[in-house]
Amino acid sequence: PAEPDLAGRHVVISAGGTREPLDPVRFLGNRSSGKQGYALARTAVARGARVTLVAANTGLPDPAGARVLAVGTAEQLREAVLKAAADADAVVMAAAVADFRPAVYAAGKIKKKDGEEPAPIALVRNPDILAELSAERPRPGQLVVGFAAETDDVLANGRAKLARKGCDLLVVNEVGNGKAFGTDENEGVVLGADGSSTPIPHGPKEALADQVWDLVVARLA
Ligand code: C5P
């Protein structure tokens, strides 16, 4: 059994991928499975934390011992995370949040008309929840952790993103070529606002999760 080094702590984890509706039957979405976020939730429960898991469109079984809040869109995820973050010691944003959503939601199913070209889809920007949390720190001393999937210049892009978002830790994964998305394994590097850089070797998503909690515990102490 794991060391209960998160006992007495409340941690909030977002997982999955948001879906931004175009009409009642269609959405813009992404391929995030939610597996890394669920692994973070399971390992945090095992280490004694009170866990709130904000789950966006995952279809995965609820982790035992966690409070699970199901959400669909980025706006719903933002509401749920900010509310739960009010008394959280750490917030880990593992969810893939859509950067943009359709500017207009059609109340009825959008129809194709014979002989007409399809209309372009206008998009508007979604709020950046990680940047907002990092700036506001709903609870003083709270630790904020982000994830970044990068396809190239992984370290340089990760450093720039850490600074831009203002979070304490950023878990950077290389994606593409069958890496990370939907699989049970992951690898990467955790960059710290303190300048630290912790490589995470290839392994189960549970192992990566435990290494993230190690870094969180060390910084909460
Ligand atoms: O900017 P990018 O999408 O690469 O950043 C990824 C990180 O930011 C993840 O931790 C994700 O959960 C978070 N994010 C967010 N709100 C957004 C977009 C991303 O919280 N609108």
Side-chain angles (χ1 to χ4, degrees):
E3 191 88 13
D5 54 5
L6 284 170
R9 302 291 192 182
H10 178 208
V11 302
V12 176
I13 299 152
S14 70
T18 67
R19 292 179 177 178
E20 311 299 322
L22 281 155
D23 69 16
V25 296
R26 304 186 181 96
F27 57 83
L28 299 181
N30 62 71
R31 295 187 190 281
S32 177
S33 66
K35 286 177 175 177
Q36 185 61 65
Y38 276 57
L40 282 155
R42 284 193 300 274
T43 49
V45 169
R47 295 168 77 141
R50 176 160 72 86
V51 176
T52 301
L53 176 62
V54 179
N57 311 297
T58 61
L60 297 171
D62 289 357
R67 180 169 70 117
V68 182
L69 306 174
V71 297
T73 65
E75 194 49 51
Q76 291 165 358
L77 189 139
R78 176 179 172 276
E79 295 264 340
V81 167
L82 290 184
K83 197 165 171 218
D87 70 345
D89 296 282
V91 182
V92 183
M93 287 291 297
V97 182
D99 292 316
F100 308 105
R101 66 176 182 275
V104 180
Y105 173 73
K109 187 181 165 194
I110 300 165
K111 300 216 167 41
K112 59 179 169 295
K113 299 194 189 83
D114 281 346
E116 259 183 36
E117 287 302 309
I121 298 170
L123 301 175
V124 294
R125 197 175 277 281
N126 270 330
D128 190 319
I129 304 157
L130 179 62
E132 189 177 345
L133 272 170
S134 299
E136 287 179 11
R137 309 282 167 156
R139 173 175 169 166
Q142 172 175 83
L143 219 85
V144 180
V145 184
F147 272 72
E150 302 288 346
T151 53
D152 52 288
D153 282 338
V154 175
L155 283 182
N157 285 328
R159 270 282 158 220
K161 187 164 290 184
L162 176 75
R164 201 161 61 237
K165 302 270 188 180
C167 52
D168 301 293
L169 294 169
L170 187 73
V171 185
V172 188
N173 300 127
E174 190 175 345
V175 294
N177 305 317
K179 281 188 178 161
F181 270 30
T183 72
D184 292 318
E185 280 101 53
N186 212 345
E187 66 189 90
V189 54
V190 185
L191 303 178
D194 52 9
S196 66
S197 174
T198 311
I200 313 257
H202 185 84
K205 287 184 172 174
E206 305 268 353
L208 184 144
D210 266 319
Q211 290 168 87
V212 170
W213 292 128
D214 288 346
L215 296 169
V216 167
V217 166
R219 282 160 179 77
L220 286 175

